[in-house]
Amino acid sequence: MDPQSNNEETDPFVPRDKAAAEHGRNSAVSASLNFINSIIGSGIIGLPYALNQAGLPLGLILLMAVAFITDFSIILLIKGGNMSGTNSYQSLVQSTFGFPGFLVLSVLQFLYPFIAMISYNITTGDTMTKVFQRIPGVGPGHILAERHFVILASTVLFTLPLSLYRNIGKLGKVSFLSMMLTLAILVVVIIRAVTLGPQIPPTEHAWSFAKWNAIQSVGVMSFAFICHHNSFLIYGSLEQPTLSNWSKVTHVSVGFAVVVSGVFAVAGYSTFTGYTQGDIFENYCRNDNLATFGRFCFGLSIITTFPLECFVTREVVSNVICNRDLSRVEHAGITVLIVSLCTALSLAYDCLGVVLELNGVLSATPLIFIIPSACFLKLSSSRWFQGENLIASVLLVTGLIIMVTGLTMTVLFPQDCSHGVEMFYCADANVSSTVPPNYQIDQIKD
């Protein structure tokens, strides 16, 4: 899992452009926290649904496989930068595949975090409005129960100010807070698996080893684990940016993320089995105070994750359009423009289930499976079926298969959005109850 050169300590790959100068130096601990925060974003709430798609045993196997591939390809990415003498994802692809490759990568590298930021805003609006409605006197007609107001308020008060930082190292403490909030959410989901799970009868085929649409779950898992677009930024912030130090940061970050993600996915799925929705918090009842606390923690967590994605989108815009260090005015202007566009789109749309699944298949899969492997194979002097090259070749082919198959199945069997609908097992008689459309469709297919 650790593709390293023998002379990495004597000939370290040290960034020579703005990645090092502008973003500052960072300890390995702070870099790990930023990396973990980048991995464990809004995608984690979709992992129980991924197990619903794949089947619990196969889903866990696929989750471990995606984590391994993520770990391997992140190190492969930095090693490719070392081999080519480049210090960003874009410059690596440009030096390997020329300007066409640079444009394709730039589109993917911008599109993924940009759509992720939109999903963060939408989830913030949906989650925090439910939290605020648990406050006495705050009903459905109150301004705090209006998702548009909540999204605008969180943008102005939190996400925009944090996104205006020029040094990614300054987000280390914010990332630590986000990690603590994620652990609190994990505790909530585990408690509810024990207390609520036994009250909900398992659906038919709930514990099947595998399900026919397992390939779609890989797209959701890829969306949850993608962090390659942040890799060079965080690597460049290390106090000692060597492949050895980077490998340690990567192993710790991905290892912690897969443990948290796996426990979260199993606890969430075992609670609701076939009723599990794309947003696991849509499964919990509105009058559940513990779940409300979990929603609150998750809302704060994704608010603190938003700036990391904004750093990447701004970096892509800077490299493609300006191709130089941004002045303070340009930095602020581009940041405000990106955040404003994300906010406007998240105010206009309230359900991006299909879009996020497509984002995982079309953006995350190439960034994780295909591009790092293709760059390494192009730069390597060895044959494709020897040593590390064999693994890279397998990843490239696997990524292509997942893209084609996942896209086809996502279009044919899109994820439904049962947005804001109270589940049938909830005791609140004042709201309509229903079985998720996804479950009804799955039962027909089974």
Side-chain angles (χ1 to χ4, degrees):
M1 189 185 292
D2 192 355
Q4 301 180 40
S5 60
N6 294 327
N7 64 340
E8 64 184 30
E9 298 298 341
T10 58
D11 185 23
F13 169 47
V14 181
R16 296 183 295 275
D17 70 351
K18 61 185 176 183
E22 180 174 300
H23 300 297
R25 293 303 182 186
N26 210 2
S27 68
V29 173
S30 186
S32 297
L33 291 174
N34 276 332
F35 216 19
I36 292 170
N37 193 28
S38 177
I39 298 172
I40 306 178
S42 68
I44 192 173
I45 61 172
L47 291 179
Y49 177 75
L51 297 190
N52 187 23
Q53 290 178 308
L56 180 59
L58 179 60
L60 285 176
I61 294 173
L62 291 175
L63 185 66
M64 294 294 294
V66 170
F68 173 86
I69 293 168
T70 299
D71 186 287
F72 181 86
S73 61
I74 288 170
I75 300 173
L76 205 66
L77 196 63
I78 299 301
K79 188 173 183 182
N82 196 1
M83 294 167 65
S84 62
T86 55
N87 50 15
S88 71
Y89 204 163
Q90 291 167 298
S91 58
L92 167 62
V93 175
Q94 184 172 19
S95 68
T96 308
F97 294 103
F99 189 68
F102 170 79
L103 286 180
V104 171
L105 187 276
S106 297
V107 170
L108 292 174
Q109 201 175 12
F110 176 87
L111 200 58
Y112 173 81
F114 185 78
I115 295 178
M117 287 189 291
I118 295 173
S119 74
Y120 291 172
N121 275 343
I122 291 176
T123 307
T124 299
D126 296 339
T127 301
M128 299 307 287
T129 51
K130 292 182 176 67
V131 172
F132 293 145
Q133 288 186 62
R134 297 298 296 162
I135 300 175
V138 178
H142 197 279
I143 190 171
L144 291 178
E146 172 55 48
R147 62 180 297 272
H148 295 85
F149 172 79
V150 171
I151 292 173
L152 286 172
S154 67
T155 298
V156 173
L157 296 177
F158 300 106
T159 55
L160 179 57
L162 290 173
S163 298
L164 285 170
Y165 277 125
R166 294 175 69 92
N167 183 354
I168 196 171
K170 292 183 178 180
L171 294 176
K173 293 181 180 179
V174 176
S175 295
F176 177 76
L177 171 62
S178 179
M179 188 175 69
M180 292 298 100
L181 291 170
T182 300
L183 291 177
I185 297 165
L186 179 62
V187 171
V188 170
V189 173
I190 292 174
I191 292 175
R192 278 292 170 258
V194 175
T195 59
L196 179 61
Q199 302 177 31
I200 305 173
T203 56
E204 188 179 359
H205 307 300
W207 312 116
S208 299
F209 178 83
K211 295 183 180 179
W212 67 275
N213 54 339
I215 193 67
Q216 284 180 274
S217 69
V218 178
V220 177
M221 294 172 186
S222 298
F223 176 81
F225 269 84
I226 179 68
C227 53
H228 297 60
H229 52 302
N230 284 331
S231 297
F232 279 97
L233 284 175
I234 298 175
Y235 173 78
S237 72
L238 282 172
E239 291 174 342
Q240 295 181 336
T242 64
L243 282 171
S244 176
N245 289 339
W246 178 246
S247 296
K248 294 175 184 176
V249 169
T250 301
H251 295 333
V252 170
S253 302
V254 176
F256 180 86
V258 73
V259 170
V260 172
S261 299
V263 174
F264 187 95
V266 171
Y269 175 75
S270 62
T271 305
F272 306 107
T273 59
Y275 304 120
T276 305
Q277 300 189 61
D279 178 352
I280 190 64
F281 280 111
E282 290 291 304
N283 279 105
Y284 296 104
C285 305
R286 296 180 188 177
N287 60 358
D288 186 336
N289 290 328
L290 183 61
T292 298
F293 173 72
R295 291 186 179 103
F296 176 74
C297 291
F298 182 69
L300 289 183
S301 176
I302 61 175
I303 287 174
T304 58
T305 305
F306 186 104
L308 284 173
E309 306 300 347
C310 189
F311 264 80
V312 178
T313 55
R314 183 174 58 231
E315 192 81 7
V316 173
V317 172
S318 172
N319 290 339
V320 173
I321 298 179
C322 302
N323 197 27
R324 57 177 172 79
D325 288 352
L326 298 176
S327 67
R328 291 187 178 275
V329 174
E330 291 171 335
H331 173 90
I334 292 176
T335 301
V336 171
L337 178 61
I338 291 172
V339 173
S340 298
L341 285 174
C342 289
T343 303
L345 290 172
S346 58
L347 291 173
Y349 300 97
D350 65 351
C351 185
L352 290 179
V354 174
V355 176
L356 294 180
E357 204 166 86
L358 287 173
N359 196 26
V361 172
L362 296 179
S363 298
T365 300
L367 290 171
I368 293 177
F369 289 78
I370 300 174
I371 297 178
S373 301
C375 290
F376 183 79
L377 290 172
K378 185 77 179 292
L379 293 169
S380 177
S381 58
S382 303
R383 297 188 177 184
W384 282 31
F385 53 83
Q386 293 180 337
E388 295 173 353
N389 290 13
L390 176 60
I391 301 178
S393 301
V394 172
L395 293 187
L396 193 153
V397 174
T398 302
L400 290 173
I401 294 174
I402 291 173
M403 276 190 67
V404 175
T405 308
L407 175 61
T408 302
M409 296 191 69
T410 301
V411 172
L412 294 178
F413 309 105
Q415 178 188 143
D416 291 317
C417 180
S418 54
H419 206 53
V421 177
E422 193 79 333
M423 299 299 291
F424 74 95
Y425 44 77
C426 294
D428 190 350
N430 295 322
V431 292
S432 61
S433 302
T434 187
V435 174
N438 274 341
Y439 172 66
Q440 295 175 347
I441 293 174
D442 288 342
Q443 289 297 92
I444 293 173
K445 291 172 186 174
D446 290 337

